[in-house]
Amino acid sequence: MASDEPKAKKLKLSENEKTESPSKKAAAELSSNSLFGMGNPLLDICAVVDKDFLDKYTLKPNDQILAEDKHKALFDELVKKFKVEYHAGGATQNSIKIAQWMIQEPHKVGTFFGCIGKDKFGEILKQKAEEAHVDAQYYEQDQEPTGTCAACITGDNRSLVANLAAANCYEKEKHLDLEENWELVEKAKVYYIAGFFLTVSLESILKVAKHASEKNKLFCMNLSAPFICQFFKDNLMQVMPYIDVLFGNESEAATFAKEQDFETKDIKEIAKKAQALPKVNTKRKRIVVFTQGKDETIMAHSDKIETFPVLKIDPKDIVDTNGAGDAFVGGFLSGLVQEKPLDQCVRAAHYSANVIIRRSGCTFPEKPDFK
């Protein structure tokens, strides 16, 4: 697929990187476990349902909610009553999966940690991660069932009901700290954690973030949702000094700016101010990437702000915008881990998002058509 984006000159990953043209510098040799992600694994259960089903569980046709007690029976009924498709989901896992898809070979470039239950849905999640060629090393416990997200499809609408369950039960001491697991963390050179995990295990995030900073590796994070910037800002700001690449969309950026008293609503200014926040590893200047849906993507890097137009798409070709943000990050990470120039990382990100919004759920064809 041809890109509409202008050919930007090479953007440097760090202040002291030698400037070589992309044609002279081949993509870095990749080994397994080069990219590490940690987050909330959810099994997406997708089905086309009828209005009666939505009404029974008081669901709106196009909404995202957390499951309440009244939704407990929904998941089993969905499986029994309708033809369902299962997909390995959750924000971070989606991004790692997309990055692996963009890279293709070798398999298991992406590692993923998260907590699941010892149950049928957990087994399906393991199988789906394997099919995506991601090295998913789950912490399995039997206190809570595997987290799920029901995607109830009616026409062009998707009503999402998430039940975090086991995803909330991740324990650093019982998983991340184990020698064989920490070895996988140490193998990575790029790290990504969505902001949602700030509600689960701040200590796990900090351990990984500090390791990346000490070893001059890339630690990436996503603002993920306005409520994270608002209600978990203390946790977020504990991690901020270690963040090398910060992702977010325009609504998350606006809430972040408000909570940080930036006194501006201008997205470019917000990106600059976020970039200027204190940072532990001074060998790398922070990169801030804000998406704005169909509008241009904004990136603050080095001492400048650059904008990148997204790929054009006919509105009638948009099937489902859910997962577009995860796909954008996945494409960007696929470039970062191959040490590609930043403009190429953005191009890969736009391509991935463009593919995902043409399909239902965070799914993709067998191979990317990306050069």
Side-chain angles (χ1 to χ4, degrees):
M1 182 184 282
S3 168
D4 297 334
E5 292 168 26
K7 284 186 175 133
K9 62 181 180 289
K10 175 172 177 182
L11 312 177
K12 293 184 283 181
L13 274 178
S14 65
E15 298 299 295
N16 51 13
E17 184 187 312
K18 290 178 191 167
T19 40
E20 299 170 13
S21 69
S23 57
K24 285 184 188 169
K25 185 177 179 184
E29 281 297 307
L30 280 178
S31 55
S32 58
N33 311 111
S34 298
L35 173 64
F36 175 85
M38 182 166 58
N40 300 332
L42 300 175
L43 182 69
D44 290 343
I45 308 169
C46 309
V48 175
V49 303
D50 49 36
K51 185 178 180 296
D52 290 345
F53 186 80
L54 294 187
D55 292 344
K56 180 176 178 180
Y57 291 102
T58 58
L59 302 176
K60 293 175 189 166
N62 205 12
D63 203 7
Q64 296 183 55
I65 62 166
L66 286 175
E68 300 170 34
D69 282 348
K70 66 182 178 184
H71 301 117
K72 277 187 176 167
L74 178 152
F75 296 88
D76 281 337
E77 186 175 342
L78 193 67
V79 173
K80 284 179 189 154
K81 203 169 173 183
F82 302 98
K83 187 183 174 189
V84 300
E85 279 185 15
Y86 295 107
H87 303 290
T92 304
Q93 187 163 237
N94 279 343
S95 294
I96 299 297
K97 201 171 63 168
I98 294 278
Q100 181 65 59
W101 170 69
M102 286 288 284
I103 290 162
Q104 290 283 308
E105 299 282 345
H107 290 167
K108 298 194 173 180
V109 168
T111 314
F112 177 75
F113 285 7
C115 183
I116 61 173
K118 294 178 179 174
D119 52 25
K120 181 183 75 175
F121 285 163
E123 290 304 315
I124 295 172
L125 206 46
K126 285 194 274 188
Q127 181 197 330
K128 290 294 174 186
E130 202 171 304
E131 286 170 9
H133 308 302
V134 169
D135 189 4
Q137 298 294 330
Y138 298 116
Y139 167 48
E140 298 180 53
Q141 49 73 61
D142 48 20
Q143 259 53 59
E144 286 283 339
T146 296
T148 47
C149 181
C152 308
I153 303 161
T154 48
D156 294 338
N157 294 314
R158 282 160 65 85
S159 187
L160 303 178
V161 187
N163 179 24
L164 293 182
N168 266 329
C169 301
Y170 190 82
E171 291 187 51
K172 172 177 166 286
E173 295 78 14
K174 292 185 179 176
H175 194 259
L176 186 67
D177 292 346
L178 300 184
E179 191 179 343
E180 64 272 24
N181 289 334
W182 187 248
E183 280 174 7
L184 291 175
V185 177
E186 290 180 321
K187 279 178 81 174
K189 57 185 182 181
V190 176
Y191 302 83
Y192 174 68
I193 299 175
F196 293 120
F197 203 59
L198 287 164
T199 72
V200 175
S201 183
L202 174 63
E203 61 274 23
S204 296
I205 298 174
L206 285 170
K207 182 174 182 178
V208 172
K210 286 173 181 175
H211 166 78
S213 186
E214 283 160 14
K215 302 293 182 184
N216 194 28
K217 298 173 180 181
L218 279 166
F219 182 80
C220 314
M221 199 158 195
N222 203 319
L223 295 175
S224 291
F227 82 86
I228 297 291
C229 306
Q230 204 171 358
F231 301 114
F232 293 90
K233 70 175 173 186
D234 290 348
N235 287 9
L236 176 61
M237 296 319 288
Q238 282 188 61
V239 183
M240 189 60 71
Y242 304 100
I243 299 176
D244 296 301
V245 185
L246 179 69
F247 296 101
N249 65 25
E250 71 274 39
S251 61
E252 294 151 10
T255 304
F256 181 71
K258 189 180 173 191
E259 292 296 324
Q260 298 299 318
D261 298 321
F262 282 173
E263 296 181 347
T264 181
K265 290 182 179 177
D266 182 281
I267 300 290
K268 291 179 182 176
E269 282 302 310
I270 295 169
K272 270 204 249 183
K273 286 178 180 281
Q275 186 190 33
L277 289 167
K279 192 168 183 296
V280 172
N281 179 7
T282 53
K283 291 177 189 164
R284 299 178 184 276
K285 195 154 187 181
R286 183 178 293 121
I287 297 160
V288 179
V289 187
F290 288 149
T291 59
Q292 305 184 94
K294 65 183 190 313
D295 296 325
E296 61 191 14
T297 294
I298 289 163
M299 178 161 61
H301 69 99
S302 302
D303 294 314
K304 55 187 161 184
I305 295 277
E306 295 223 21
T307 58
F308 302 83
V310 302
L311 293 171
K312 290 183 174 61
I313 184 169
D314 191 316
K316 73 175 189 312
D317 292 332
I318 298 174
V319 175
D320 179 8
T321 56
N322 205 11
D326 298 342
F328 177 93
V329 172
F332 199 100
L333 293 172
S334 73
L336 272 188
V337 79
Q338 294 177 84
E339 296 177 19
K340 289 187 175 178
L342 288 175
D343 59 301
Q344 289 189 31
C345 293
V346 175
R347 204 166 67 81
H350 283 164
Y351 169 80
S352 299
N354 188 274
V355 169
I356 264 57
I357 60 177
R358 296 168 187 270
R359 301 166 67 92
S360 180
C362 196
T363 62
F364 36 79
E366 190 183 345
K367 290 193 171 169
D369 175 21
F370 179 76
K371 299 287 186 287

